[in-house]
Amino acid sequence: MIPSTYPTAEEMARLTARMLWEIEAVNFMQDEPFKLASGALSPVYIDCRKLISYPRIRATLMDFLTVTVMRNAGFEAFDNIAGGETAGIPFSALVAERMGLPMTYVRKKPKGYGRNARIEGVMTEGQRVLLVEDLTTDGGSKLSFVDAIRDTGATCAHTAVIFYYGIFPETIKTLGDHGVELHHLCTWWEVLAEAPAKHQAVLGEVESFLNDPHAWRAARS
């Protein structure tokens, strides 16, 4: 069921950040940097997959994501909710349930046998599809999913994520040039603002990365 009332975007961002800290989804580099889906290195990593194991937090964040999309894109803007393989699949199912819409998912590449399909489930020509994922860094990985959706004759002008890095200025342009608008709940800046006291000692390195990720990587290449 879709909630009829909900907090402001600012309060949802703050609460989302608190929940990510509470379930220890925020990870710091030990000896080696993390490699992100984009291939870039980072001293910090958000593991949104952990959310599926916490029912109360999971339900709250899916309420937040659903109302964020409806508020920004429209209450009758979609006909189908698609998840990106694999992290986006559970979240797309939960959003689809709240919106009362069909759910599909998009493979990263054709499975190589049978129908050799990238879309699983039923997606038809002309449907307006919302792509749901766990997070985005520079937005590049979303484009392949969007193209696969559009290859069916459906449209995809919106993607929604729980977490958006918010540190790469080219992200919004990359998606916008592809005709896609990004919706998200929180960024690294809200996560840092809610950091527990016990993590303050490592935040300097994190802030160095967040303020200039390209320079941080160049210094370690």
Side-chain angles (χ1 to χ4, degrees):
M1 180 180 293
I2 301 169
S4 57
T5 60
Y6 47 93
T8 64
E10 293 76 17
E11 180 66 1
M12 286 192 285
R14 188 182 70 83
L15 291 171
T16 300
R18 284 183 56 189
M19 293 176 198
L20 291 172
W21 281 112
E22 185 173 344
I23 66 170
E24 298 183 345
V26 185
N27 299 276
F28 298 103
M29 140 180 121
Q30 299 300 320
D31 299 319
E32 296 292 332
F34 297 102
K35 180 174 284 190
L36 306 178
S38 63
L41 300 180
S42 170
V44 281
Y45 173 69
I46 294 283
D47 185 3
C48 288
R49 292 172 175 84
K50 293 185 73 173
L51 293 168
I52 62 176
S53 297
Y54 296 86
R56 287 177 289 276
I57 287 176
R58 180 186 71 204
T60 301
L61 291 185
M62 292 303 97
D63 285 349
F64 285 177
L65 196 60
T66 300
V67 297
T68 294
V69 167
M70 291 193 303
R71 180 181 62 199
N72 295 345
F75 289 82
E76 298 293 340
F78 303 105
D79 307 300
N80 193 309
I81 309 299
E85 182 191 17
T86 56
I89 294 174
F91 301 124
S92 64
L94 293 163
V95 170
E97 183 72 16
R98 283 159 172 75
M99 288 189 172
L101 292 174
M103 177 260 177
T104 50
Y105 73 86
V106 190
R107 292 183 178 274
K108 293 177 181 176
K109 58 183 180 180
K111 59 185 179 181
Y113 57 89
R115 295 185 297 114
N116 206 36
R118 286 193 67 189
I119 305 295
E120 299 294 352
V122 178
M123 184 181 293
T124 58
E125 184 174 356
Q127 282 191 321
R128 301 163 299 169
V129 180
L130 170 68
L131 173 65
V132 174
E133 282 266 70
D134 60 336
L135 57 79
T136 191
T137 53
D138 60 6
S141 65
K142 304 292 175 286
L143 304 187
S144 176
F145 289 140
V146 169
D147 288 343
I149 290 168
R150 291 174 177 172
D151 284 345
T152 70
T155 64
C156 183
H158 299 268
T159 184
V161 299
I162 298 163
F163 184 77
Y164 164 45
Y165 267 58
I167 60 174
F168 301 108
E170 65 270 22
T171 303
I172 300 301
K173 184 178 187 306
T174 296
L175 291 169
D177 288 348
H178 214 66
V180 180
E181 182 178 351
L182 174 66
H183 309 278
H184 65 278
L185 294 184
C186 77
T187 71
W188 270 118
W189 306 113
E190 287 87 25
V191 168
L192 286 190
E194 295 298 319
K198 66 180 180 179
H199 293 300
Q200 295 300 316
V202 299
L203 294 187
E205 179 78 5
V206 174
E207 289 182 359
S208 174
F209 166 75
L210 297 180
N211 284 311
D212 195 341
H214 299 299
W216 186 93
R217 289 167 182 159
R220 289 156 181 80
S221 61

